[in-house]
Amino acid sequence: MTTTMDEYFTRIGATADVPAEMARKAIGYILAYMQAESQDGSIAAMIAATPAAAEALGDADGYDGEGGIMALGSRLMGLGLDMGQIRDMAEEFISAARASAGDEVVDRAIASVPALAQFI
């Protein structure tokens, strides 16, 4: 059975007890930040291989990831998320990305954004 985009974000949101729309936006913000901070193409490879990742990125309200980790945190907290919810959703997304893109691609993507390692 193929997981739809709505089912995918419903599952991610459920890990943090938030609606699917909020989860999609939060993951989009995180991916935009990763793209802005990464020094190689590993983020693009992870996004391409992970279902619904490109859609989430497109739902980031034009956020381009600039401003560093503090700007990302401000955007996520502006959605009403606390650090625990952010971590829960990020971990669920990373788990799904690993299942789709593979450990090597995801590990390389995370390593390409040093400031993110403390949160994932």
Side-chain angles (χ1 to χ4, degrees), residues 8-9 12 21-34 52-53 56-57 60 76 79 81 86 89-94:
Y8 182 78
F9 288 110
I12 290 174
E21 300 81 30
M22 186 182 293
R24 182 173 36 250
K25 191 169 297 273
I27 296 302
Y29 288 161
I30 292 167
L31 291 172
Y33 167 77
M34 290 178 77
L57 191 56
L76 293 170
L79 292 174
L81 300 170
I86 295 166
M89 284 191 293
E91 287 175 355
E92 183 67 24
F93 173 78
I94 293 299

Side-chain angles (χ1 to χ4, degrees), residues 39-99:
Q39 300 301 313
D40 64 34
S42 59
I43 303 300
M46 181 180 74
I47 290 169
T50 304
E55 290 86 348
L57 191 56
D59 200 31
D61 293 335
Y63 173 56
D64 63 2
E66 297 297 320
I69 194 79
M70 296 304 288
L72 172 62
S74 179
R75 282 194 173 262
L76 293 170
M77 289 180 192
L79 292 174
L81 300 170
D82 64 34
M83 288 303 295
Q85 290 172 307
I86 295 166
R87 180 171 286 122
D88 290 345
M89 284 191 293
E91 287 175 355
E92 183 67 24
F93 173 78
I94 293 299
S95 176
R98 287 184 188 286

